[in-house]
Amino acid sequence: MMKRLILTFIFCVITVLGHAQTKIDPKTIAAKMQWFQDAKLGIFIHAGIYSVNGIDESWSFHNKKISYADYMKQLNGFTLKHYDPTFWAELIKESGARYAVITTKHHDGVAMYDTKKDKLSIVKATPAKMDMIKPFFDELRKRDIKCGAYFSLIDWSHPDYPGFLKDSSRYNVKDDDARWNRFRDFFQGQIKEIGEKFNPDLWWFDGDWEHSAEEWESEKVRRIILTKNPAAIINGRLQGYGDYTTPEQNFPVSRPPYNWWELCMTTNDNWGYQQHDQNWKTPYEIISIFVDAVANGGNLLLDIGPKEDGTIPPEEINILKELGAWNKKNGEAIFNTVAGIPQGHFYGPTTLSKDSTTLYLFVHGKTSGQLMLKGLDNKIKDISVVGTGTKLNHKVVGKISWSPVPGLVYINLPEGVQDKYITVLKLKLDKPIKLYRGQGGL
């Protein structure tokens, strides 16, 4: 995974320019992005030979934590002897996720499917001798879960790729067009393979920072994908030719200004399986991060790292099951909703129904007593606890008859109705939500 922060302004500019150059109709983009906007939750899977030793995926040899030769020896230990794509897909379904993204090739160049473009694949070069992707996608599609393919544009193993290790360079692209063209034909050929073999609903590119859009031929790559599947969507790591942005690990404090965005985050501190990394996030932490992303108009792409034998660590299984149980109870406030009201009206995350007549309030922990909602210029028809239907009382305080400023709404949340992680309140309004955003009356 690339370690970087995406600058908001730069991304917006290059995305607009990329869409302009490819003559993308905004209405067409919005229509095909609808499932993504409604999905809210995806599961990211970093599967690769790096799980054998439990070291950083690709970066461990790039940063000289291990030699390239020793890194590639892990090919011999990648067995997938307990790989069960049915179990994987069922676990993802149970989590509540609507899509999943799996590595088809990381920066190390090891394909997780039977590529015909070279011999470096788990089919040809490991004891696993199998394609991971097709059986997994087949099981996902049986469950109506969208299928995403992670693909690294860079390939630090390919002999025609310019950069190999951090402090070395084989050649400059501008000095050897023929060699760069060979590599370009190679990686674009793999993209065509993946499209033909698996027809992903979503493409999750990585590594675009090493070359320009012109050098990657990003517009051509986009065209290759959309010629095969016009409905496919593409993440923002294609030098301006993607459809949505995906901040990595770092959660935005204020609401991002994008139409569509996705926070990709690990369940511990690493993307791939590392046995020494026991810093697991708790189910509450994952659920609270998820809720914040959705309340701010985004998705969560939650990562898991399977072991070299194809099993998923029990800690990750527990996280997905707990997340799924919470989603099953509270999902109406998450899925098919839109971002909530601006900060300051309620001290916690919020979401809205698409018609804006239902407001959902998310209450952390074991909070009880009175909750305050400010600036709501609506009448509340009904308040209940999502998942149980428990009815709640409220009163309006401080409303002055001659002033347009609405009063304060106080909701009484009694003890005994709280969810063990985050409680959700459902407010049915008399009309689409209207908020007072002024400075107060004089």
Side-chain angles (χ1 to χ4, degrees):
M1 291 292 298
M2 124 189 193
K3 315 276 194 293
R4 66 173 179 175
L5 291 175
I6 300 175
L7 296 175
T8 300
F9 176 75
I10 293 176
F11 180 86
C12 289
V13 170
I14 62 177
T15 299
V16 169
L17 290 177
H19 284 178
Q21 291 168 0
T22 49
K23 298 180 180 179
I24 297 171
D25 178 8
K27 291 183 179 179
T28 301
I29 291 292
K32 77 173 185 175
M33 290 299 294
Q34 191 61 58
W35 76 258
F36 180 83
Q37 188 172 30
D38 292 340
K40 309 304 183 188
L41 179 62
I43 302 301
F44 211 176
I45 302 169
H46 272 70
I49 65 169
Y50 36 84
S51 60
V52 174
N53 291 349
I55 56 178
D56 297 345
E57 61 290 337
S58 306
W59 291 98
S60 53
F61 71 81
H62 184 278
N63 293 326
K64 295 189 173 181
K65 292 182 180 179
I66 186 175
S67 71
Y68 176 76
D70 285 341
Y71 180 94
M72 297 308 290
K73 286 178 182 177
Q74 293 178 106
L75 287 165
N76 299 323
F78 193 76
T79 66
L80 292 182
K81 60 184 177 181
H82 298 304
Y83 177 45
D84 185 350
T86 301
F87 174 77
W88 283 26
E90 195 57 37
L91 180 63
I92 290 168
K93 181 73 172 181
E94 186 178 350
S95 77
R98 271 46 171 178
Y99 64 106
V101 179
I102 188 171
T103 45
T104 61
K105 187 184 77 169
H106 207 272
H107 312 332
D108 58 16
V110 181
M112 309 307 291
Y113 68 98
D114 190 15
T115 179
K116 305 302 181 185
K117 297 300 175 180
D118 67 3
K119 297 180 180 180
L120 192 52
S121 73
I122 60 170
V123 179
K124 297 184 178 74
T126 76
K129 297 188 182 304
M130 70 171 72
D131 164 17
M132 287 191 75
I133 310 303
K134 187 177 188 305
F136 180 52
F137 277 16
D138 286 347
E139 292 297 330
L140 290 178
R141 285 177 168 137
K142 288 177 185 177
R143 294 162 177 81
D144 296 320
I145 298 171
K146 298 286 188 180
C147 299
Y150 169 106
F151 183 82
S152 173
L153 295 165
I154 59 181
D155 188 326
W156 290 329
S157 289
H158 195 278
D160 287 322
Y161 188 73
F164 179 56
L165 294 179
K166 193 173 184 178
D167 60 355
S168 67
S169 179
R170 294 168 174 166
Y171 69 98
N172 292 319
V173 170
K174 63 181 179 180
D175 297 331
D176 197 336
D177 288 341
R179 198 170 181 183
W180 177 244
N181 285 336
R182 285 199 301 271
F183 177 73
R184 229 169 11 197
D185 288 344
F186 166 76
F187 91 80
Q188 291 175 11
Q190 287 192 321
I191 289 172
K192 291 176 184 176
E193 276 186 334
I194 292 168
E196 291 297 326
K197 287 175 176 288
F198 314 123
N199 195 24
D201 304 293
L202 182 153
W203 287 79
W204 213 100
F205 286 109
D206 203 5
D208 68 331
W209 72 91
E210 289 204 354
H211 296 281
S212 67
E214 292 74 22
E215 288 172 338
W216 290 124
E217 293 184 333
S218 296
E219 183 176 3
K220 178 182 176 182
V221 169
R222 183 179 180 91
R223 188 166 62 250
I224 289 169
I225 291 168
L226 298 184
T227 297
K228 168 60 182 174
N229 181 3
I233 65 174
I234 302 169
N235 78 332
R237 300 186 182 188
L238 192 59
Q239 288 289 9
Y241 286 82
D243 300 316
Y244 70 95
T245 189
T246 179
E248 181 176 320
Q249 299 281 48
N250 301 286
F251 189 86
V253 175
S254 58
R255 185 174 297 177
Y258 315 123
N259 288 327
W260 309 283
W261 67 275
E262 160 198 84
L263 171 66
C264 57
M265 180 165 282
T266 53
T267 46
N268 53 9
D269 291 336
N270 289 278
W271 299 103
Y273 173 70
Q274 296 193 21
Q275 55 267 42
H276 66 272
D277 183 358
Q278 296 298 312
N279 191 28
W280 299 103
K281 296 177 178 69
T282 66
Y284 167 71
E285 290 164 352
I286 292 295
I287 291 169
S288 63
I289 292 167
F290 175 43
V291 166
D292 264 0
V294 174
N296 281 284
N299 292 5
L300 175 65
L301 183 62
L302 180 65
D303 179 72
I304 60 174
K307 298 180 181 180
E308 77 288 344
D309 64 359
T311 58
I312 298 172
E315 295 85 355
E316 291 177 333
I317 293 175
N318 179 62
I319 287 170
L320 294 189
K321 285 180 175 291
E322 288 294 293
L323 175 58
W326 187 87
N327 278 330
K328 186 175 182 180
K329 178 182 177 183
N330 299 286
E332 75 163 90
I334 292 289
F335 303 104
N336 300 306
T337 63
V338 297
I341 58 181
Q343 294 177 5
H345 290 278
F346 177 71
Y347 296 114
T350 64
T351 59
L352 285 162
S353 60
K354 287 184 178 180
D355 65 3
S356 296
T357 62
T358 302
L359 172 64
Y360 297 98
L361 310 179
F362 296 82
V363 183
H364 287 255
K366 300 301 179 182
T367 301
S368 62
Q370 288 186 308
L371 306 173
M372 184 176 70
L373 180 61
K374 296 190 293 185
L376 180 65
D377 197 8
N378 289 81
K379 291 182 180 179
I380 299 174
K381 297 167 62 176
D382 179 76
I383 304 178
S384 61
V385 178
V386 174
T388 67
T390 303
K391 300 296 183 180
L392 302 181
N393 297 319
H394 76 283
K395 68 176 182 177
V396 178
V397 174
K399 172 60 181 168
I400 302 172
S401 60
W402 48 262
S403 173
V405 181
L408 303 174
V409 176
Y410 283 90
I411 303 167
N412 184 43
L413 182 62
E415 294 183 2
V417 301
Q418 289 78 10
D419 182 87
K420 67 177 179 177
Y421 296 124
I422 295 178
T423 306
V424 186
L425 308 187
K426 178 180 181 178
L427 281 65
K428 293 292 293 180
L429 308 177
D430 62 334
K431 58 186 178 182
I433 194 166
K434 182 181 178 184
L435 297 173
Y436 174 75
R437 300 286 289 164
Q439 302 299 312
L442 297 176

